[in-house]
Amino acid sequence: MTNVGHALSIGLLSLLFIAAGVNHFVSPGVYLKIMPEYLPWPLALVYVSGFFEVLGGVGLAVPRLRRAAGWGLIALLVAVFPANVDMLMNADQFPAIPVLALVARLPLQGVLIAWVWWAAVKSR
């Protein structure tokens, strides 16, 4: 990939994670609804995950921090994957979201992990 393509990829990832992380603070109720019941302190976990999404997104934009931020975001994406599975298993609690969209989120999480790895970890 060209340097321009790589820079564009990093920029998109950075903005995506920063926006998603900020949204955890703006609309925490959305994330509380998908928090698995077996996890303690759901609101704190929403804020912590949002904080680390913002931190990772900013880290992607800083070349010296990019690799560490990439690994951190991959760890975060793996950590939140059970919430996606739980959401699918309890699809009846989310009638506004088509089941197909809930199913599609699972492999898309893998695509996002691969994108972060390719753009931030492998390329360095």
Side-chain angles (χ1 to χ4, degrees):
M1 171 167 266
T2 67
N3 286 340
V4 172
H6 185 256
L8 180 62
S9 187
I10 289 294
L12 287 171
L13 276 171
S14 181
L15 289 174
L16 176 104
F17 280 105
I18 291 169
V22 166
N23 198 47
H24 281 68
F25 296 95
V26 174
S27 303
V30 171
Y31 301 95
L32 282 171
K33 288 180 187 174
I34 66 172
M35 188 67 65
E37 289 183 17
Y38 57 83
L39 292 175
W41 313 294
L43 184 59
L45 290 174
V46 167
Y47 290 144
V48 166
S49 61
F51 171 79
F52 281 109
E53 280 188 286
V54 171
L55 188 66
V58 171
L60 289 176
V62 179
R64 192 170 56 98
L65 302 175
R66 186 167 296 146
R67 185 175 175 88
W71 280 119
L73 287 170
I74 288 169
L76 180 64
L77 289 164
V78 169
V80 301
F81 186 76
N84 294 341
V85 173
D86 188 73
M87 193 174 178
L88 176 60
M89 292 173 54
N90 296 292
D92 59 318
Q93 295 179 22
F94 307 95
I97 303 173
V99 173
L100 184 57
L102 297 177
V103 171
R105 286 183 69 185
L106 302 181
L108 285 176
Q109 193 89 354
V111 170
L112 196 53
I113 288 168
W115 185 14
V116 170
W117 178 81
W118 173 82
V121 177
K122 177 182 182 267
S123 66
R124 297 291 150 227

